[in-house]
Amino acid sequence: MGTKADTPYDAGPFLPGRGGIPAHRRAAAGCRGCPLYEGTTGTVFGAGDPHARLVLVGEQPGDQEDRQGKPFVGPAGQLLHRALADAGLDDEAAYVTNAVKHFKYVPAPGGGKRRIHKAPSLRELSACRPWLEAELRLVDPDLVVALGATAGRALWGPGFRVGERRGLLVPLPEFDGVPPHGRGLATVHPSAVLRAADRDAVYGGLVADLRTAAEALADAPGPAGVRT
């Protein structure tokens, strides 16, 4: 008899054969592509403008995101919205999602209801990649901003390092052999600002990277996604 360790990690079989973002969001609610769905409130799929020119990709939902079923509604999300505004980007015109759609956590020491974030493994990241690929294919943005190392690895592979690529406009990888027309840019995850000893400096770096994103969108043809 097989064990959980023998079970393939793959969200691919749970994707719908057709349909847009709403159809994929409904299908993702029943995803059992890896064990992370166990013990969570549910899938946290992407949200925002399904035709956005800007897509922001984070790591995974946090405690508040899991409880509310929406991405970037916790402390890191609130900081991200402020940083977008400071960079001149309209967050209401963006689409936000995560590389992994379920909250991975460990119980706090000593018991209680508090849940402590735990980074997803490469296996879990790979299992969830079909959802991210589908979102990017359907939204078809001009620019994808990877927030942190996990999001970067989901897009560019396990060798990705934020420090080597942050703030640079680079090509996106192919999806199912089809090269996307948009570009990518990596920066730190907003939670890194919250953990930093010098929050002002790290926040300033995040805003500077997002300003590069705003400039790239302003230079590209398309509907407004940049505040003027």
Side-chain angles (χ1 to χ4, degrees), residues 14-221:
F14 297 91
L15 268 69
R18 60 182 181 177
I21 291 293
H24 282 69
R25 182 178 292 111
R26 290 191 296 270
C31 185
R32 303 293 183 267
C34 80
L36 288 185
Y37 73 91
E38 299 174 346
T40 64
T41 305
T43 306
V44 180
F45 204 70
D49 185 347
H51 307 291
R53 297 182 61 212
L54 173 65
V55 169
L56 299 148
V57 181
E59 179 190 77
Q60 66 172 358
D63 180 76
Q64 289 302 312
E65 287 79 8
D66 177 62
R67 296 180 191 279
Q68 298 184 41
K70 298 176 182 178
F72 289 101
V73 294
Q78 294 169 16
L79 187 144
L80 175 62
H81 295 310
R82 177 162 64 92
L84 288 167
D86 287 347
L89 288 163
D90 183 359
D91 61 349
E92 294 184 0
Y95 182 89
V96 294
T97 191
N98 284 294
V100 172
K101 309 304 188 203
H102 286 100
F103 177 36
K104 184 176 182 179
Y105 65 92
V106 294
K113 295 183 178 180
R114 186 163 170 258
R115 302 180 296 177
I116 300 175
H117 160 277
K118 185 176 181 181
S121 68
L122 181 60
R123 189 180 182 193
E124 291 156 348
L125 194 63
S126 299
C128 213
R129 196 170 192 267
W131 290 119
L132 180 60
E133 289 186 353
E135 288 175 292
L136 296 180
R137 174 176 53 81
L138 291 167
V139 178
D140 193 26
D142 291 330
L143 185 64
V144 177
V145 174
L147 300 166
T150 299
R153 286 195 290 269
L155 288 168
W156 291 291
F160 173 85
R161 298 289 183 274
V162 174
E164 296 173 359
R165 298 202 195 182
R166 69 171 297 180
L168 303 176
L169 294 166
V170 297
L172 289 171
E174 295 184 353
F175 303 128
D176 294 326
V178 179
H181 84 272
R183 293 182 291 176
L185 180 145
T187 187
V188 297
H189 193 281
S191 64
V193 178
L194 299 176
R195 296 191 303 267
D198 188 347
R199 288 190 180 185
D200 289 343
V202 180
Y203 179 79
L206 172 62
V207 172
D209 291 338
L210 292 175
R211 284 192 179 127
T212 299
E215 291 167 2
L217 289 171
D219 290 342

